[in-house]
């Protein structure tokens, strides 16, 4: 029998359709826009597609899992063909889809607002109304116009969430209100998270970031400076910027505060979970890159703010943990987060990294890399950090995510 093609990296989400439990497949990389709903048996077949099994092997696996029942060969092939047509298998069909999407992305000078109209309102009026609600005063009314903008030096650094606005709005508001009240930056370096990995430790892009409130321009000269500091091709995995939401949310907040007046430098962080000092062959390269970021941030000719688009712990079954959420678990995670955030506020990048990794990052702190990069970029500056807010929010599939706001004066 012919070996069947493997399933691509997909994001399965349990759903209920007309009272029946199903699984919805989505493409986290965004090559395939449409989602695909599978029954549990069909999803089981999909999970067996690892590039080593043929139809008969999957029938045997199915029988072992479903009380000895072996589906007909054609039923297996029907699932495989449907997955292939949808673009969820590593086949020639997906290769054509991938090439078409990547060519279109590279041809554009703009990184489109991928989540506009989905994770947040897509029209300026509705989006402003939504973001206004994050800036609520003691009288219960919220509006940016009620806040006095600062005219001094802006924050040197900021840790802000990248969770969706619906769940993290209060902490977004706390973080960006402090930035607004300090002063307007001349440049913002945005360290985001490459959630689905990348081929290099950091990923640059020259594309400008579109938002419903205007397009933020990427500072080409600074990107060139950082590009020269890279011992790797910083654009090798530039496609990661296309779907990544962590920087998109910061771009929206900056556009809300300042329109299109603040240029940005978008950087995705993707270096491995080991401390950079332990990464053979990459320690010197990572250090050199972050040193260059530090030199940009320390430029006395302009006021630069460094922003870490960082969530903290991701705990629960949604994130691979074999445990249920409880008040005790939430309290335990909060204590660990608070201990780690003390290192962040004191600017101790290495102590922060080691504290998160002492148990192999069992809390799945996705913002580890971008917070570390932010602290290293600010290293040597006369800054002090202040924890402004901390919160957590449930994940609809099971689990919870924590996040915080920290300002560096």
């Amino acid at each position: 029998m012919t070996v069947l093609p493997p399933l691509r990296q997909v994001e399965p989400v349990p759903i209920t359709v007309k009272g029946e439990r199903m699984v919805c497949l989505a493409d986290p990389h965004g090559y395939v826009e449409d989602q695909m709903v599978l029954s549990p048996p069909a999803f089981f077949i999909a999970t067996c597609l690892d590039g080593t099994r043929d139809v008969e092997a999957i029938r045997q696996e199915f029988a072992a899992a479903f009380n000895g029942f072996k589906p007909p060969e054609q039923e297996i092939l029907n699932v495989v063909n449907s997955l292939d047509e949808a673009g969820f298998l590593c086949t020639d069909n997906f290769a054509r889809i991938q090439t078409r999407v990547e060519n279109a992305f590279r041809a554009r000078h703009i990184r489109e607002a991928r989540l506009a109209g989905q994770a947040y309102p897509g029209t300026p009026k509705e989006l402003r109304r939504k973001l206004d609600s994050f800036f609520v005063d003691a009288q219960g009314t919220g509006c940016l116009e009620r806040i006095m903008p600062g005219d001094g030096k802006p924050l040197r650094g900021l840790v802000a969430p990248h969770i969706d606005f619906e769940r993290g709005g209060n902490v977004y508001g706390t973080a960006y209100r402090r930035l607004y009240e300090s002063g307007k930056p001349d440049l913002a370096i945005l360290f985001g998270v490459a959630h689905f990995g990348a081929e290099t430790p950091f990923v640059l892009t020259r594309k400008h970031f579109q938002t419903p409130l205007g397009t933020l321009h990427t500072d080409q000269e600074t990107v060139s400076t950082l590009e020269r500091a890279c011992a790797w091709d910083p654009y090798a995995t530039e496609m990661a910027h296309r779907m990544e939401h962590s920087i998109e949310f910061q771009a929206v907040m900056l556009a809300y505060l300042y329109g299109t007046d603040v240029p940005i430098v978008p950087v995705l962080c993707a270096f491995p979970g080991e401390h950079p000092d332990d990464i053979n062959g990459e320690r010197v390269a990572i250090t050199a890159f972050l040193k260059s970021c530090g030199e940009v941030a320390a430029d006395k000719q302009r006021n630069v703010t460094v922003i870490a688009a960082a969530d903290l712990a991701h705990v629960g079954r949604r994130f691979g943990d074999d445990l249920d959420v409880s008040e005790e678990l939430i309290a335990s995670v909060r204590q660990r987060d608070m201990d780690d955030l003390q290192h962040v506020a004191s600017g101790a990048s290495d102590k922060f990294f080691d504290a998160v990794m002492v148990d192999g990052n069992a809390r799945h702190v996705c913002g580890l890399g971008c917070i570390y990069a932010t602290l290293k970029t600010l290293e040597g500056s006369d800054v002090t950090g202040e924890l402004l807010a901390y919160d957590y929010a449930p994940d609809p599939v099971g689990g919870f995510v924590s996040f915080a706001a920290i300002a560096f004066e």
Side-chain angles (χ1 to χ4, degrees), residues 54-270:
D54 57 19
V55 171
E56 185 57 32
I58 293 179
R59 293 182 72 216
Q60 295 287 347
E61 295 278 353
F62 197 99
F66 291 87
N67 299 317
F69 174 72
K70 282 187 179 182
E73 291 184 8
Q74 191 57 50
E75 287 190 16
I76 303 289
L77 292 175
N78 287 344
V79 173
V80 172
N81 291 336
S82 295
L83 288 166
D84 186 22
E85 290 174 6
F88 286 109
L89 299 184
C90 297
T91 63
D92 289 341
N93 182 50
F94 171 67
R96 288 189 289 270
I97 294 172
Q98 183 179 29
T99 298
R100 182 173 67 250
V101 171
E102 290 185 354
N103 286 344
F105 179 73
R106 293 193 181 99
R108 299 189 187 102
H109 297 296
I110 302 294
R111 187 272 188 192
E112 296 178 343
R114 295 286 303 173
L115 298 178
Q118 301 178 51
Y120 56 83
T123 65
K125 183 177 180 179
E126 291 177 349
L127 179 55
R128 285 194 179 280
R129 184 182 299 117
K130 178 69 175 178
L131 300 183
D132 279 346
S133 70
F134 300 168
F135 297 83
V136 178
D137 60 22
Q139 285 71 45
T141 57
C143 182
L144 187 64
E145 294 176 356
R146 298 176 64 89
I147 301 172
M148 182 66 68
D151 57 4
K153 286 187 175 297
L155 296 178
R156 292 301 312 280
L158 182 69
V159 174
H162 65 234
I163 197 170
D164 57 273
F165 288 150
E166 201 64 40
R167 292 182 289 171
N170 61 323
V171 180
Y172 275 104
T174 300
Y176 279 93
R177 177 171 186 152
R178 177 62 70 88
L179 177 61
Y180 191 66
E181 290 176 333
S182 66
K184 185 170 74 172
D186 298 320
L187 177 71
I189 300 176
L190 307 180
F191 284 115
V193 180
H195 278 94
F196 298 99
E199 297 174 6
T200 58
F202 298 96
V203 185
L204 300 178
T205 184
R206 291 185 175 276
K207 298 184 186 300
H208 309 299
F209 273 59
Q210 178 192 67
T211 81
L213 304 176
T215 298
L216 274 67
H217 290 270
T218 294
D219 189 282
Q220 302 297 308
E221 183 178 348
T222 302
V223 172
S224 294
T225 297
L226 298 186
E227 178 185 319
R228 289 191 292 271
C230 292
W232 56 84
D233 178 359
Y235 309 106
T237 323
E238 188 181 8
M239 278 293 293
H241 278 282
R242 178 175 175 268
M243 287 296 292
E244 180 50 55
H245 63 275
S246 55
I247 290 179
E248 178 171 341
F249 284 125
Q250 315 314 313
V252 169
M253 292 304 300
L254 289 172
Y256 171 74
L257 297 185
Y258 307 117
T260 60
D261 288 347
V262 176
I264 63 173
V265 179
V267 185
L268 290 179
C269 304

